[in-house]
């Protein structure tokens, strides 16, 4: 007896339920038809059968949600629209070609972008395919030609069977991008008002800088001199664990005084002698995908104040992708570090 490429239990597990509905066989069969297309795509050719099966099931889950007009995909796009005013990151959903209640190539592209992009240790085969991926995270160009080609093929398959696809009696729960909690509030920056009670350190920083919230220091010695001579710290309190770090930024704000290191070169500020446009272009994007690089409040201040104009991903149109989607990207990658949570 020939072994089934995908079993009903796989489909039920993807739906996070045990009850079988009349529509389930149809969607399972569609996932089985999708599987060879997934396997042939360079995105998944070497990823192993388990990942390939999950990718095929995702196509059926998406189609099931679109047909039912409810479920996790509907919840995601509505939450994204409520937060950002469009239905998806990266792709233009304001055109006549994008219909929110229908199947769309852009939807499929985002689904399979998420398969290849995330704050995790990337498999070795992905590291070989895309140099923009490192051991700590992966970020596939959302306009990658193989990604768009796969999305187009799957769209055509769905379009051919759209009218016959059944409605499932029970909507899906969580299957897509559960690590990007769109309900997480975007907090306002800690703005200083006349009524704000400032710490003594913040008051002295602002007096020294004549009201500018950011101060820059080339190395630990320069930072330590400032902490001792301007803020009045004792030498033993000058954060000795940062002795080997460089390129410090102090952000004096209503919450207190924030100190970041190894990031000053990325801030295009006329008061910053350490700014380096080339490094900002080549390296600055790491602040948005690695939680250990830059505190979120400083990152947010830099973006909202136009101090990070050069940051971009190292692929074609990488600047557009990052500059237009930076809040979603940080929400997706920084997780608990988003908004300093």
């Amino acid at each position: 007896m020939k072994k089934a490429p995908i079993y009903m239990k796989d489909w039920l597990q993807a739906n996070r339920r045990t009850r079988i509905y009349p529509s389930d066989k149809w969607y399972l069969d569609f996932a089985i038809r999708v599987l060879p297309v997934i396997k042939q795509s360079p995105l998944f050719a070497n990823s192993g059968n388990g990942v390939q099966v999950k990718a095929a099931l995702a196509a059926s889950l998406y189609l099931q949600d679109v047909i039912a007009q409810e479920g996790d995909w509907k919840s995601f796009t509505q939450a994204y629209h409520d937060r950002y005013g469009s239905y998806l990151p990266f792709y233009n959903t304001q055109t006549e070609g994008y219909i929110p209640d229908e199947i769309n190539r852009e939807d499929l592209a985002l689904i399979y972008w998420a398969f290849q992009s995330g704050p995790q240790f990337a498999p070795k085969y992905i590291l070989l395919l895309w140099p923009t991926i490192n051991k700590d995270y992966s970020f596939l160009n959302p306009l990658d030609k193989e990604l768009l080609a796969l999305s187009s093929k799957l769209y055509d398959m769905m379009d051919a069977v759209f009218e016959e696809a059944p409605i499932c009696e029970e909507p899906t729960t969580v299957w897509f991008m559960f690590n990007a909690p769109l309900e997480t509030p975007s907090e306002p920056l800690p703005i200083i008002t006349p009524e704000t009670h400032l710490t003594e350190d913040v008051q002295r920083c602002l007096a020294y800088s004549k009201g500018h919230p950011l101060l820059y220091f080339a190395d630990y010695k320069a930072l330590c001199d400032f902490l001792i001579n301007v803020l009045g710290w004792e030498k033993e309190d000058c954060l000795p664990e940062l002795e080997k770090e460089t390129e410090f930024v102090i952000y004096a704000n209503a919450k207190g005084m924030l100190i970041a290191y190894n990031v000053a070169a990325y801030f295009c500020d006329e008061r910053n002698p350490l700014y380096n446009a080339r490094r900002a272009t080549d390296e600055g994007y790491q602040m948005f995908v690695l939680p250990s690089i830059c505190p979120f409040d400083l990152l947010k201040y830099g973006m909202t104040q136009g101090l990070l104009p050069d940051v971009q991903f190292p692929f074609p149109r990488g600047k557009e992708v990052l500059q237009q989607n930076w809040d979603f990207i940080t929400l997706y990658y920084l997780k608990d570090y988003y908004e300093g949570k």
Side-chain angles (χ1 to χ4, degrees):
M1 183 176 179
K2 187 176 180 181
K3 182 180 178 181
I6 309 178
Y7 293 100
M8 178 59 74
K9 66 179 179 64
D10 299 319
W11 172 247
L12 294 176
Q13 185 177 20
N15 279 272
R16 303 194 178 208
R17 56 179 164 83
T18 57
R19 181 178 178 181
I20 298 177
Y21 291 99
S23 60
D24 284 333
K25 186 179 185 306
W26 191 96
Y27 285 105
L28 174 60
D29 289 343
F30 184 75
I32 291 173
R33 290 173 53 198
V34 165
L35 185 57
V37 179
I38 296 291
K39 288 178 176 290
Q40 291 167 11
S41 170
L43 296 179
F44 292 97
N46 302 306
S47 58
N49 187 69
V51 174
Q52 293 168 344
V53 166
K54 289 180 180 179
L57 290 169
S60 279
L61 288 166
Y62 165 72
L63 181 57
Q64 179 179 247
D65 282 1
V66 173
I67 293 298
Q69 283 302 293
E70 57 181 343
D72 196 39
W73 177 258
K74 182 73 173 178
S75 297
F76 171 80
T77 54
Q78 188 58 59
Y80 192 90
H81 187 271
D82 291 345
R83 186 181 182 101
Y84 296 111
S86 62
Y87 289 98
L88 304 175
F90 312 135
Y91 308 105
N92 185 1
T93 62
Q94 308 300 320
T95 66
E96 292 183 0
Y98 185 90
I99 305 175
D101 295 333
E102 301 286 342
I103 55 173
N104 294 281
R105 292 177 177 85
E106 295 88 349
D107 297 345
L108 291 161
L110 181 63
I111 289 169
Y112 292 104
W113 172 86
F115 264 88
Q116 305 290 345
S117 305
Q120 77 285 312
F121 288 87
K124 289 183 179 179
Y125 75 90
I126 295 183
L127 294 172
L128 294 174
L129 286 174
W130 293 288
T132 57
I133 296 169
N134 72 17
K135 66 178 182 178
D136 298 314
Y137 70 95
S138 56
F139 197 106
L140 176 65
N141 182 356
L143 304 176
D144 176 81
K145 66 177 183 179
E146 298 295 349
L147 176 63
L148 299 182
L150 174 61
S151 304
S152 185
K153 288 179 182 178
L154 296 180
Y155 173 87
D156 290 343
M157 291 181 68
M158 293 180 186
D159 189 49
V161 300
F162 190 82
E163 297 301 327
E164 66 183 70
I167 297 176
C168 181
E169 297 175 39
E170 183 177 341
T172 61
T173 53
V174 178
W175 65 268
F176 179 69
M177 210 171 281
F178 52 85
N179 61 333
L182 294 172
E183 71 278 3
T184 303
S186 179
E187 304 289 346
L189 282 167
I191 301 299
I192 295 174
T193 67
E195 292 76 29
T196 304
H197 176 71
L198 300 178
T199 67
E200 186 174 340
D201 284 340
V202 170
Q203 293 180 49
R204 292 184 177 184
C205 282
L206 296 176
Y208 177 85
S209 67
K210 296 180 172 58
H212 296 282
L214 300 189
L215 297 95
Y216 307 92
F217 305 91
D219 52 31
Y220 178 76
K221 182 181 183 304
L223 174 68
C224 200
D225 288 344
F226 175 80
L227 297 178
I228 294 172
N229 298 324
V230 177
L231 301 191
W233 289 25
E234 297 296 330
K235 185 175 181 180
E236 58 268 23
D237 297 328
C238 291
L239 308 172
E241 66 274 15
L242 301 182
E243 185 176 3
K244 295 182 180 180
E245 308 300 344
T246 60
E247 299 178 346
F248 294 91
V249 179
I250 284 182
Y251 175 28
N253 60 82
K255 290 182 181 179
M257 186 181 75
L258 179 156
I259 301 178
Y261 52 88
N262 300 333
V263 298
Y266 309 141
F267 286 78
C268 182
D269 184 344
E270 61 182 8
R271 303 179 64 257
N272 178 16
L274 306 176
Y275 169 64
N276 186 311
R278 180 190 59 78
R279 288 184 53 204
T281 299
D282 293 346
E283 308 166 10
Y285 69 92
Q286 296 180 78
M287 295 187 292
F288 299 81
V289 295
L290 293 174
S292 61
I293 301 296
C294 184
F296 185 76
D297 276 351
L298 176 58
L299 185 62
K300 185 173 184 177
Y301 182 84
M303 289 301 293
T304 56
Q305 299 300 310
L307 300 178
L308 296 169
D310 303 302
V311 293
Q312 58 186 285
F313 286 114
F315 49 67
R317 296 176 66 181
K319 187 170 186 176
E320 171 188 334
V321 168
L322 181 50
Q323 294 284 339
Q324 294 181 6
N325 300 278
W326 71 270
D327 186 77
F328 170 76
I329 290 168
T330 54
L331 178 64
Y332 183 70
Y333 280 88
L334 302 187
K335 293 187 172 183
D336 292 341
Y337 291 88
Y338 179 85
E339 291 293 2
K341 298 293 188 292

